[in-house]
mmCIF file of all heavy atoms in Angstrom:
data_model
loop_
_atom_site.group_PDB
_atom_site.id
_atom_site.type_symbol
_atom_site.label_atom_id
_atom_site.label_comp_id
_atom_site.label_asym_id
_atom_site.label_seq_id
_atom_site.Cartn_x
_atom_site.Cartn_y
_atom_site.Cartn_z
ATOM 1 N N SER R 316 11.879 -15.741 5.527
ATOM 2 C CA SER R 316 11.424 -16.290 4.245
ATOM 3 C C SER R 316 12.212 -17.552 3.894
ATOM 4 O O SER R 316 11.654 -18.515 3.356
ATOM 5 C CB SER R 316 11.540 -15.252 3.129
ATOM 6 O OG SER R 316 12.878 -14.853 2.909
ATOM 7 N N ARG R 317 13.499 -17.581 4.213
ATOM 8 C CA ARG R 317 14.291 -18.785 3.941
ATOM 9 C C ARG R 317 13.772 -19.975 4.748
ATOM 10 O O ARG R 317 13.712 -21.105 4.249
ATOM 11 C CB ARG R 317 15.769 -18.533 4.232
ATOM 12 C CG ARG R 317 16.424 -17.531 3.294
ATOM 13 C CD ARG R 317 17.936 -17.705 3.268
ATOM 14 N NE ARG R 317 18.529 -17.554 4.590
ATOM 15 C CZ ARG R 317 18.985 -16.408 5.082
ATOM 16 N NH1 ARG R 317 18.896 -15.290 4.361
ATOM 17 N NH2 ARG R 317 19.533 -16.358 6.286
ATOM 18 N N GLN R 318 13.364 -19.727 5.985
ATOM 19 C CA GLN R 318 12.833 -20.807 6.809
ATOM 20 C C GLN R 318 11.544 -21.362 6.225
ATOM 21 O O GLN R 318 11.346 -22.577 6.154
ATOM 22 C CB GLN R 318 12.587 -20.326 8.241
ATOM 23 C CG GLN R 318 12.021 -21.413 9.157
ATOM 24 C CD GLN R 318 11.801 -20.927 10.569
ATOM 25 O OE1 GLN R 318 12.227 -19.839 10.942
ATOM 26 N NE2 GLN R 318 11.124 -21.723 11.380
ATOM 27 N N ARG R 319 10.647 -20.465 5.787
ATOM 28 C CA ARG R 319 9.381 -20.925 5.209
ATOM 29 C C ARG R 319 9.626 -21.740 3.948
ATOM 30 O O ARG R 319 8.956 -22.741 3.701
ATOM 31 C CB ARG R 319 8.473 -19.727 4.898
ATOM 32 C CG ARG R 319 8.066 -18.884 6.094
ATOM 33 C CD ARG R 319 7.010 -19.568 6.968
ATOM 34 N NE ARG R 319 7.539 -20.500 7.939
ATOM 35 C CZ ARG R 319 7.806 -20.196 9.215
ATOM 36 N NH1 ARG R 319 7.628 -18.959 9.642
ATOM 37 N NH2 ARG R 319 8.261 -21.117 10.036
ATOM 38 N N ILE R 320 10.614 -21.332 3.153
ATOM 39 C CA ILE R 320 10.959 -22.081 1.944
ATOM 40 C C ILE R 320 11.578 -23.426 2.313
ATOM 41 O O ILE R 320 11.232 -24.475 1.741
ATOM 42 C CB ILE R 320 11.930 -21.259 1.062
ATOM 43 C CG1 ILE R 320 11.217 -20.040 0.452
ATOM 44 C CG2 ILE R 320 12.520 -22.140 -0.041
ATOM 45 C CD1 ILE R 320 10.185 -20.362 -0.600
ATOM 46 N N ASN R 321 12.469 -23.437 3.278
ATOM 47 C CA ASN R 321 13.130 -24.694 3.685
ATOM 48 C C ASN R 321 12.113 -25.719 4.171
ATOM 49 O O ASN R 321 12.264 -26.923 3.926
ATOM 50 C CB ASN R 321 14.156 -24.419 4.780
ATOM 51 C CG ASN R 321 15.387 -23.694 4.274
ATOM 52 O OD1 ASN R 321 15.652 -23.687 3.072
ATOM 53 N ND2 ASN R 321 16.124 -23.065 5.166
ATOM 54 N N GLU R 322 11.074 -25.244 4.862
ATOM 55 C CA GLU R 322 10.072 -26.156 5.413
ATOM 56 C C GLU R 322 9.282 -26.890 4.337
ATOM 57 O O GLU R 322 8.679 -27.929 4.598
ATOM 58 C CB GLU R 322 9.115 -25.383 6.316
ATOM 59 C CG GLU R 322 9.748 -24.892 7.605
ATOM 60 C CD GLU R 322 8.928 -23.842 8.310
ATOM 61 O OE1 GLU R 322 7.985 -23.298 7.681
ATOM 62 O OE2 GLU R 322 9.231 -23.534 9.478
ATOM 63 N N LEU R 323 9.298 -26.368 3.110
ATOM 64 C CA LEU R 323 8.554 -27.009 2.028
ATOM 65 C C LEU R 323 9.217 -28.301 1.558
ATOM 66 O O LEU R 323 8.556 -29.142 0.936
ATOM 67 C CB LEU R 323 8.419 -26.036 0.848
ATOM 68 C CG LEU R 323 7.626 -24.768 1.112
ATOM 69 C CD1 LEU R 323 7.707 -23.833 -0.093
ATOM 70 C CD2 LEU R 323 6.170 -25.084 1.433
ATOM 71 N N ARG R 324 10.524 -28.403 1.783
ATOM 72 C CA ARG R 324 11.281 -29.584 1.318
ATOM 73 C C ARG R 324 11.089 -29.802 -0.179
ATOM 74 O O ARG R 324 10.808 -30.920 -0.646
ATOM 75 C CB ARG R 324 10.892 -30.830 2.122
ATOM 76 C CG ARG R 324 11.184 -30.701 3.609
ATOM 77 C CD ARG R 324 11.384 -32.025 4.306
ATOM 78 N NE ARG R 324 10.380 -33.011 3.933
ATOM 79 C CZ ARG R 324 9.593 -33.646 4.804
ATOM 80 N NH1 ARG R 324 9.662 -33.365 6.080
ATOM 81 N NH2 ARG R 324 8.731 -34.553 4.394
ATOM 82 N N ALA R 325 11.224 -28.730 -0.928
ATOM 83 C CA ALA R 325 11.051 -28.790 -2.383
ATOM 84 C C ALA R 325 12.243 -29.477 -3.043
ATOM 85 O O ALA R 325 13.373 -29.454 -2.524
ATOM 86 C CB ALA R 325 10.890 -27.378 -2.942
ATOM 87 N N ARG R 326 11.982 -30.060 -4.204
ATOM 88 C CA ARG R 326 13.063 -30.701 -4.958
ATOM 89 C C ARG R 326 14.089 -29.680 -5.425
ATOM 90 O O ARG R 326 15.299 -29.961 -5.456
ATOM 91 C CB ARG R 326 12.471 -31.430 -6.173
ATOM 92 C CG ARG R 326 13.514 -32.105 -7.062
ATOM 93 C CD ARG R 326 12.878 -32.669 -8.311
ATOM 94 N NE ARG R 326 12.292 -31.644 -9.153
ATOM 95 C CZ ARG R 326 12.985 -30.884 -10.022
ATOM 96 N NH1 ARG R 326 14.296 -31.050 -10.153
ATOM 97 N NH2 ARG R 326 12.370 -29.984 -10.756
ATOM 98 N N ARG R 327 13.633 -28.484 -5.794
ATOM 99 C CA ARG R 327 14.516 -27.449 -6.298
ATOM 100 C C ARG R 327 14.118 -26.109 -5.678
ATOM 101 O O ARG R 327 12.927 -25.810 -5.556
ATOM 102 C CB ARG R 327 14.424 -27.358 -7.833
ATOM 103 C CG ARG R 327 15.343 -26.326 -8.477
ATOM 104 C CD ARG R 327 15.131 -26.278 -9.980
ATOM 105 N NE ARG R 327 16.003 -25.311 -10.623
ATOM 106 C CZ ARG R 327 15.923 -24.930 -11.902
ATOM 107 N NH1 ARG R 327 15.008 -25.510 -12.691
ATOM 108 N NH2 ARG R 327 16.751 -24.025 -12.397
ATOM 109 N N VAL R 328 15.105 -25.322 -5.290
ATOM 110 C CA VAL R 328 14.852 -24.004 -4.694
ATOM 111 C C VAL R 328 15.554 -22.941 -5.529
ATOM 112 O O VAL R 328 16.748 -23.061 -5.844
ATOM 113 C CB VAL R 328 15.351 -23.940 -3.237
ATOM 114 C CG1 VAL R 328 15.240 -22.519 -2.700
ATOM 115 C CG2 VAL R 328 14.553 -24.907 -2.359
ATOM 116 N N LEU R 329 14.808 -21.910 -5.897
ATOM 117 C CA LEU R 329 15.356 -20.753 -6.601
ATOM 118 C C LEU R 329 15.352 -19.590 -5.620
ATOM 119 O O LEU R 329 14.285 -19.138 -5.190
ATOM 120 C CB LEU R 329 14.516 -20.409 -7.831
ATOM 121 C CG LEU R 329 14.218 -21.546 -8.814
ATOM 122 C CD1 LEU R 329 13.384 -21.018 -9.974
ATOM 123 C CD2 LEU R 329 15.506 -22.179 -9.319
ATOM 124 N N ALA R 330 16.532 -19.116 -5.261
ATOM 125 C CA ALA R 330 16.636 -18.080 -4.246
ATOM 126 C C ALA R 330 17.963 -17.351 -4.402
ATOM 127 O O ALA R 330 18.850 -17.785 -5.146
ATOM 128 C CB ALA R 330 16.536 -18.689 -2.850
ATOM 129 N N TYR R 331 18.085 -16.242 -3.686
ATOM 130 C CA TYR R 331 19.357 -15.542 -3.624
ATOM 131 C C TYR R 331 20.332 -16.318 -2.743
ATOM 132 O O TYR R 331 19.934 -17.164 -1.935
ATOM 133 C CB TYR R 331 19.155 -14.113 -3.115
ATOM 134 C CG TYR R 331 18.873 -13.131 -4.235
ATOM 135 C CD1 TYR R 331 17.569 -12.856 -4.624
ATOM 136 C CD2 TYR R 331 19.918 -12.521 -4.922
ATOM 137 C CE1 TYR R 331 17.311 -11.969 -5.671
ATOM 138 C CE2 TYR R 331 19.683 -11.641 -5.970
ATOM 139 C CZ TYR R 331 18.371 -11.379 -6.343
ATOM 140 O OH TYR R 331 18.139 -10.516 -7.385
ATOM 141 N N GLN R 332 21.599 -16.021 -2.928
ATOM 142 C CA GLN R 332 22.651 -16.731 -2.209
ATOM 143 C C GLN R 332 22.480 -16.585 -0.695
ATOM 144 O O GLN R 332 22.231 -15.500 -0.173
ATOM 145 C CB GLN R 332 24.010 -16.176 -2.630
ATOM 146 C CG GLN R 332 25.204 -16.897 -2.055
ATOM 147 C CD GLN R 332 26.493 -16.260 -2.493
ATOM 148 O OE1 GLN R 332 27.068 -15.459 -1.760
ATOM 149 N NE2 GLN R 332 26.950 -16.580 -3.694
ATOM 150 N N ALA R 333 22.606 -17.726 -0.005
ATOM 151 C CA ALA R 333 22.504 -17.767 1.452
ATOM 152 C C ALA R 333 23.192 -19.047 1.907
ATOM 153 O O ALA R 333 23.517 -19.914 1.080
ATOM 154 C CB ALA R 333 21.038 -17.750 1.888
ATOM 155 N N PRO R 334 23.441 -19.196 3.200
ATOM 156 C CA PRO R 334 24.072 -20.435 3.666
ATOM 157 C C PRO R 334 23.300 -21.664 3.197
ATOM 158 O O PRO R 334 22.112 -21.805 3.437
ATOM 159 C CB PRO R 334 24.006 -20.292 5.193
ATOM 160 C CG PRO R 334 24.041 -18.817 5.428
ATOM 161 C CD PRO R 334 23.253 -18.234 4.295
ATOM 162 N N GLY R 335 23.994 -22.531 2.465
ATOM 163 C CA GLY R 335 23.371 -23.743 1.953
ATOM 164 C C GLY R 335 22.608 -23.568 0.663
ATOM 165 O O GLY R 335 22.028 -24.532 0.151
ATOM 166 N N LEU R 336 22.574 -22.346 0.112
ATOM 167 C CA LEU R 336 21.815 -22.079 -1.113
ATOM 168 C C LEU R 336 22.709 -21.422 -2.153
ATOM 169 O O LEU R 336 23.403 -20.433 -1.858
ATOM 170 C CB LEU R 336 20.628 -21.149 -0.830
ATOM 171 C CG LEU R 336 19.413 -21.732 -0.105
ATOM 172 C CD1 LEU R 336 18.427 -20.627 0.199
ATOM 173 C CD2 LEU R 336 18.757 -22.822 -0.951
ATOM 174 N N ASP R 337 22.685 -21.950 -3.372
ATOM 175 C CA ASP R 337 23.366 -21.306 -4.488
ATOM 176 C C ASP R 337 22.431 -20.279 -5.106
ATOM 177 O O ASP R 337 21.217 -20.497 -5.210
ATOM 178 C CB ASP R 337 23.747 -22.338 -5.551
ATOM 179 C CG ASP R 337 24.894 -23.219 -5.093
ATOM 180 O OD1 ASP R 337 25.714 -22.749 -4.273
ATOM 181 O OD2 ASP R 337 24.966 -24.372 -5.553
ATOM 182 N N GLY R 338 22.997 -19.172 -5.518
ATOM 183 C CA GLY R 338 22.208 -18.131 -6.159
ATOM 184 C C GLY R 338 23.039 -16.879 -6.318
ATOM 185 O O GLY R 338 24.187 -16.806 -5.863
ATOM 186 N N PRO R 339 22.476 -15.871 -6.957
ATOM 187 C CA PRO R 339 23.206 -14.612 -7.105
ATOM 188 C C PRO R 339 23.312 -13.883 -5.775
ATOM 189 O O PRO R 339 22.516 -14.118 -4.857
ATOM 190 C CB PRO R 339 22.341 -13.825 -8.098
ATOM 191 C CG PRO R 339 20.958 -14.360 -7.878
ATOM 192 C CD PRO R 339 21.126 -15.822 -7.547
ATOM 193 N N GLU R 340 24.273 -13.001 -5.658
ATOM 194 C CA GLU R 340 24.395 -12.188 -4.454
ATOM 195 C C GLU R 340 23.311 -11.114 -4.452
ATOM 196 O O GLU R 340 22.953 -10.563 -5.491
ATOM 197 C CB GLU R 340 25.774 -11.528 -4.389
ATOM 198 C CG GLU R 340 26.911 -12.507 -4.157
ATOM 199 C CD GLU R 340 28.239 -11.800 -3.950
ATOM 200 O OE1 GLU R 340 28.241 -10.547 -3.881
ATOM 201 O OE2 GLU R 340 29.257 -12.497 -3.854
ATOM 202 N N TRP R 341 22.778 -10.830 -3.272
ATOM 203 C CA TRP R 341 21.770 -9.776 -3.111
ATOM 204 C C TRP R 341 22.408 -8.431 -3.414
ATOM 205 O O TRP R 341 23.497 -8.110 -2.928
ATOM 206 C CB TRP R 341 21.223 -9.799 -1.697
ATOM 207 C CG TRP R 341 20.102 -8.833 -1.470
ATOM 208 C CD1 TRP R 341 20.198 -7.541 -1.050
ATOM 209 C CD2 TRP R 341 18.700 -9.092 -1.638
ATOM 210 N NE1 TRP R 341 18.953 -6.965 -0.955
ATOM 211 C CE2 TRP R 341 18.015 -7.903 -1.309
ATOM 212 C CE3 TRP R 341 17.972 -10.211 -2.031
ATOM 213 C CZ2 TRP R 341 16.622 -7.810 -1.366
ATOM 214 C CZ3 TRP R 341 16.591 -10.118 -2.092
ATOM 215 C CH2 TRP R 341 15.928 -8.928 -1.760
ATOM 216 N N THR R 342 21.753 -7.628 -4.229
ATOM 217 C CA THR R 342 22.281 -6.327 -4.637
ATOM 218 C C THR R 342 21.267 -5.238 -4.308
ATOM 219 O O THR R 342 20.074 -5.398 -4.566
ATOM 220 C CB THR R 342 22.562 -6.299 -6.153
ATOM 221 O OG1 THR R 342 23.450 -7.367 -6.480
ATOM 222 C CG2 THR R 342 23.187 -4.977 -6.566
ATOM 223 N N THR R 343 21.720 -4.156 -3.739
ATOM 224 C CA THR R 343 20.833 -3.026 -3.448
ATOM 225 C C THR R 343 20.918 -2.002 -4.581
ATOM 226 O O THR R 343 21.841 -2.023 -5.394
ATOM 227 C CB THR R 343 21.215 -2.346 -2.123
ATOM 228 O OG1 THR R 343 22.573 -1.881 -2.207
ATOM 229 C CG2 THR R 343 21.094 -3.326 -0.969
ATOM 230 N N GLY R 344 19.924 -1.109 -4.630
ATOM 231 C CA GLY R 344 19.950 -0.008 -5.578
ATOM 232 C C GLY R 344 19.534 -0.355 -6.988
ATOM 233 O O GLY R 344 19.800 0.421 -7.915
ATOM 234 N N ILE R 345 18.866 -1.501 -7.194
ATOM 235 C CA ILE R 345 18.379 -1.855 -8.530
ATOM 236 C C ILE R 345 16.858 -1.930 -8.499
ATOM 237 O O ILE R 345 16.257 -2.157 -7.439
ATOM 238 C CB ILE R 345 18.968 -3.193 -9.017
ATOM 239 C CG1 ILE R 345 18.539 -4.355 -8.103
ATOM 240 C CG2 ILE R 345 20.486 -3.107 -9.110
ATOM 241 C CD1 ILE R 345 18.953 -5.714 -8.617
ATOM 242 N N PRO R 346 16.193 -1.734 -9.640
ATOM 243 C CA PRO R 346 14.723 -1.808 -9.664
ATOM 244 C C PRO R 346 14.233 -3.173 -9.195
ATOM 245 O O PRO R 346 14.836 -4.211 -9.507
ATOM 246 C CB PRO R 346 14.390 -1.569 -11.137
ATOM 247 C CG PRO R 346 15.556 -0.831 -11.691
ATOM 248 C CD PRO R 346 16.754 -1.370 -10.954
ATOM 249 N N GLU R 347 13.145 -3.167 -8.433
ATOM 250 C CA GLU R 347 12.589 -4.415 -7.934
ATOM 251 C C GLU R 347 12.228 -5.366 -9.067
ATOM 252 O O GLU R 347 12.388 -6.576 -8.940
ATOM 253 C CB GLU R 347 11.356 -4.138 -7.076
ATOM 254 C CG GLU R 347 11.675 -3.735 -5.662
ATOM 255 C CD GLU R 347 12.267 -4.875 -4.846
ATOM 256 O OE1 GLU R 347 11.561 -5.871 -4.618
ATOM 257 O OE2 GLU R 347 13.433 -4.762 -4.431
ATOM 258 N N ARG R 348 11.718 -4.855 -10.182
ATOM 259 C CA ARG R 348 11.407 -5.734 -11.318
ATOM 260 C C ARG R 348 12.662 -6.465 -11.784
ATOM 261 O O ARG R 348 12.622 -7.647 -12.125
ATOM 262 C CB ARG R 348 10.812 -4.913 -12.465
ATOM 263 C CG ARG R 348 9.470 -4.292 -12.171
ATOM 264 C CD ARG R 348 9.020 -3.396 -13.322
ATOM 265 N NE ARG R 348 7.765 -2.716 -13.004
ATOM 266 C CZ ARG R 348 7.688 -1.584 -12.306
ATOM 267 N NH1 ARG R 348 8.797 -1.005 -11.874
ATOM 268 N NH2 ARG R 348 6.507 -1.033 -12.046
ATOM 269 N N GLU R 349 13.775 -5.737 -11.798
ATOM 270 C CA GLU R 349 15.040 -6.332 -12.234
ATOM 271 C C GLU R 349 15.595 -7.289 -11.184
ATOM 272 O O GLU R 349 16.220 -8.303 -11.525
ATOM 273 C CB GLU R 349 16.050 -5.233 -12.529
ATOM 274 C CG GLU R 349 17.378 -5.734 -13.060
ATOM 275 C CD GLU R 349 18.342 -4.612 -13.370
ATOM 276 O OE1 GLU R 349 17.866 -3.504 -13.718
ATOM 277 O OE2 GLU R 349 19.562 -4.833 -13.260
ATOM 278 N N ARG R 350 15.361 -6.970 -9.902
ATOM 279 C CA ARG R 350 15.873 -7.834 -8.841
ATOM 280 C C ARG R 350 15.404 -9.276 -9.019
ATOM 281 O O ARG R 350 16.171 -10.228 -8.897
ATOM 282 C CB ARG R 350 15.416 -7.325 -7.474
ATOM 283 C CG ARG R 350 15.847 -8.221 -6.326
ATOM 284 C CD ARG R 350 15.323 -7.747 -4.980
ATOM 285 N NE ARG R 350 15.603 -6.349 -4.746
ATOM 286 C CZ ARG R 350 16.799 -5.842 -4.476
ATOM 287 N NH1 ARG R 350 17.851 -6.659 -4.413
ATOM 288 N NH2 ARG R 350 16.974 -4.544 -4.278
ATOM 289 N N TRP R 351 14.116 -9.444 -9.325
ATOM 290 C CA TRP R 351 13.545 -10.790 -9.367
ATOM 291 C C TRP R 351 13.758 -11.470 -10.721
ATOM 292 O O TRP R 351 13.892 -12.688 -10.787
ATOM 293 C CB TRP R 351 12.081 -10.741 -8.961
ATOM 294 C CG TRP R 351 11.984 -10.150 -7.591
ATOM 295 C CD1 TRP R 351 11.452 -8.935 -7.243
ATOM 296 C CD2 TRP R 351 12.524 -10.699 -6.382
ATOM 297 N NE1 TRP R 351 11.617 -8.696 -5.906
ATOM 298 C CE2 TRP R 351 12.267 -9.763 -5.347
ATOM 299 C CE3 TRP R 351 13.195 -11.877 -6.082
ATOM 300 C CZ2 TRP R 351 12.658 -9.989 -4.033
ATOM 301 C CZ3 TRP R 351 13.590 -12.108 -4.766
ATOM 302 C CH2 TRP R 351 13.318 -11.168 -3.767
ATOM 303 N N THR R 352 13.826 -10.698 -11.801
ATOM 304 C CA THR R 352 14.181 -11.326 -13.077
ATOM 305 C C THR R 352 15.669 -11.703 -13.083
ATOM 306 O O THR R 352 16.057 -12.722 -13.671
ATOM 307 C CB THR R 352 13.872 -10.408 -14.263
ATOM 308 O OG1 THR R 352 14.522 -9.132 -14.088
ATOM 309 C CG2 THR R 352 12.374 -10.189 -14.393
ATOM 310 N N ARG R 353 16.495 -10.913 -12.412
ATOM 311 C CA ARG R 353 17.916 -11.253 -12.301
ATOM 312 C C ARG R 353 18.100 -12.564 -11.542
ATOM 313 O O ARG R 353 18.957 -13.391 -11.903
ATOM 314 C CB ARG R 353 18.666 -10.121 -11.592
ATOM 315 C CG ARG R 353 20.142 -10.402 -11.370
ATOM 316 C CD ARG R 353 20.836 -9.283 -10.647
ATOM 317 N NE ARG R 353 20.968 -8.078 -11.463
ATOM 318 C CZ ARG R 353 21.704 -7.022 -11.123
ATOM 319 N NH1 ARG R 353 22.385 -7.033 -9.990
ATOM 320 N NH2 ARG R 353 21.790 -5.976 -11.911
ATOM 321 N N LEU R 354 17.302 -12.771 -10.503
ATOM 322 C CA LEU R 354 17.350 -14.037 -9.776
ATOM 323 C C LEU R 354 17.078 -15.206 -10.712
ATOM 324 O O LEU R 354 17.821 -16.198 -10.729
ATOM 325 C CB LEU R 354 16.319 -14.021 -8.647
ATOM 326 C CG LEU R 354 16.031 -15.372 -7.975
ATOM 327 C CD1 LEU R 354 17.266 -15.878 -7.246
ATOM 328 C CD2 LEU R 354 14.832 -15.260 -7.040
ATOM 329 N N LEU R 355 16.012 -15.085 -11.510
ATOM 330 C CA LEU R 355 15.664 -16.172 -12.421
ATOM 331 C C LEU R 355 16.718 -16.344 -13.504
ATOM 332 O O LEU R 355 17.066 -17.478 -13.873
ATOM 333 C CB LEU R 355 14.293 -15.920 -13.043
ATOM 334 C CG LEU R 355 13.107 -15.845 -12.085
ATOM 335 C CD1 LEU R 355 11.802 -15.822 -12.865
ATOM 336 C CD2 LEU R 355 13.109 -16.989 -11.090
ATOM 337 N N ASN R 356 17.233 -15.240 -14.039
ATOM 338 C CA ASN R 356 18.258 -15.322 -15.066
ATOM 339 C C ASN R 356 19.471 -16.097 -14.563
ATOM 340 O O ASN R 356 20.042 -16.921 -15.286
ATOM 341 C CB ASN R 356 18.690 -13.928 -15.509
ATOM 342 C CG ASN R 356 17.617 -13.140 -16.238
ATOM 343 O OD1 ASN R 356 17.693 -11.920 -16.333
ATOM 344 N ND2 ASN R 356 16.577 -13.810 -16.721
ATOM 345 N N TRP R 357 19.873 -15.846 -13.327
ATOM 346 C CA TRP R 357 21.020 -16.545 -12.752
ATOM 347 C C TRP R 357 20.770 -18.048 -12.719
ATOM 348 O O TRP R 357 21.683 -18.851 -12.929
ATOM 349 C CB TRP R 357 21.300 -16.038 -11.338
ATOM 350 C CG TRP R 357 22.607 -16.525 -10.765
ATOM 351 C CD1 TRP R 357 23.818 -15.883 -10.792
ATOM 352 C CD2 TRP R 357 22.823 -17.776 -10.077
ATOM 353 N NE1 TRP R 357 24.772 -16.659 -10.176
ATOM 354 C CE2 TRP R 357 24.194 -17.825 -9.727
ATOM 355 C CE3 TRP R 357 22.017 -18.849 -9.751
ATOM 356 C CZ2 TRP R 357 24.754 -18.901 -9.041
ATOM 357 C CZ3 TRP R 357 22.561 -19.937 -9.080
ATOM 358 C CH2 TRP R 357 23.922 -19.951 -8.722
ATOM 359 N N HIS R 358 19.518 -18.437 -12.469
ATOM 360 C CA HIS R 358 19.154 -19.849 -12.407
ATOM 361 C C HIS R 358 18.800 -20.427 -13.779
ATOM 362 O O HIS R 358 18.244 -21.522 -13.867
ATOM 363 C CB HIS R 358 17.989 -20.049 -11.438
ATOM 364 C CG HIS R 358 18.375 -19.924 -9.988
ATOM 365 N ND1 HIS R 358 19.003 -20.933 -9.308
ATOM 366 C CD2 HIS R 358 18.222 -18.902 -9.106
ATOM 367 C CE1 HIS R 358 19.221 -20.548 -8.050
ATOM 368 N NE2 HIS R 358 18.758 -19.323 -7.897
ATOM 369 N N GLY R 359 19.108 -19.671 -14.848
ATOM 370 C CA GLY R 359 18.925 -20.187 -16.196
ATOM 371 C C GLY R 359 17.535 -20.029 -16.759
ATOM 372 O O GLY R 359 17.181 -20.694 -17.745
ATOM 373 N N ILE R 360 16.738 -19.125 -16.196
ATOM 374 C CA ILE R 360 15.355 -18.919 -16.633
ATOM 375 C C ILE R 360 15.238 -17.546 -17.275
ATOM 376 O O ILE R 360 15.626 -16.529 -16.676
ATOM 377 C CB ILE R 360 14.388 -19.040 -15.441
ATOM 378 C CG1 ILE R 360 14.480 -20.447 -14.851
ATOM 379 C CG2 ILE R 360 12.960 -18.712 -15.849
ATOM 380 C CD1 ILE R 360 13.822 -20.586 -13.506
ATOM 381 N N ASP R 361 14.701 -17.496 -18.463
ATOM 382 C CA ASP R 361 14.555 -16.233 -19.176
ATOM 383 C C ASP R 361 13.401 -15.433 -18.592
ATOM 384 O O ASP R 361 12.281 -15.948 -18.464
ATOM 385 C CB ASP R 361 14.301 -16.502 -20.665
ATOM 386 C CG ASP R 361 14.227 -15.220 -21.479
ATOM 387 O OD1 ASP R 361 14.997 -14.289 -21.193
ATOM 388 O OD2 ASP R 361 13.375 -15.146 -22.378
ATOM 389 N N ALA R 362 13.668 -14.188 -18.215
ATOM 390 C CA ALA R 362 12.635 -13.294 -17.692
ATOM 391 C C ALA R 362 13.047 -11.864 -18.012
ATOM 392 O O ALA R 362 14.211 -11.489 -17.862
ATOM 393 C CB ALA R 362 12.461 -13.479 -16.189
#
Side-chain angles (χ1 to χ4, degrees):
S316 62
R317 293 202 302 268
Q318 180 179 350
R319 298 286 84 95
I320 291 291
N321 288 341
E322 291 165 347
L323 296 174
R324 299 205 315 236
R326 178 186 63 82
R327 182 182 181 189
V328 173
L329 308 180
Y331 271 92
Q332 185 182 97
L336 286 174
D337 288 332
E340 292 186 6
W341 185 270
T342 304
T343 59
I345 63 173
E347 279 291 295
R348 294 175 184 84
E349 183 179 330
R350 177 183 309 288
W351 302 111
T352 55
R353 177 181 290 190
L354 168 65
L355 298 189
N356 293 161
W357 190 94
H358 286 282
I360 298 167
D361 184 38

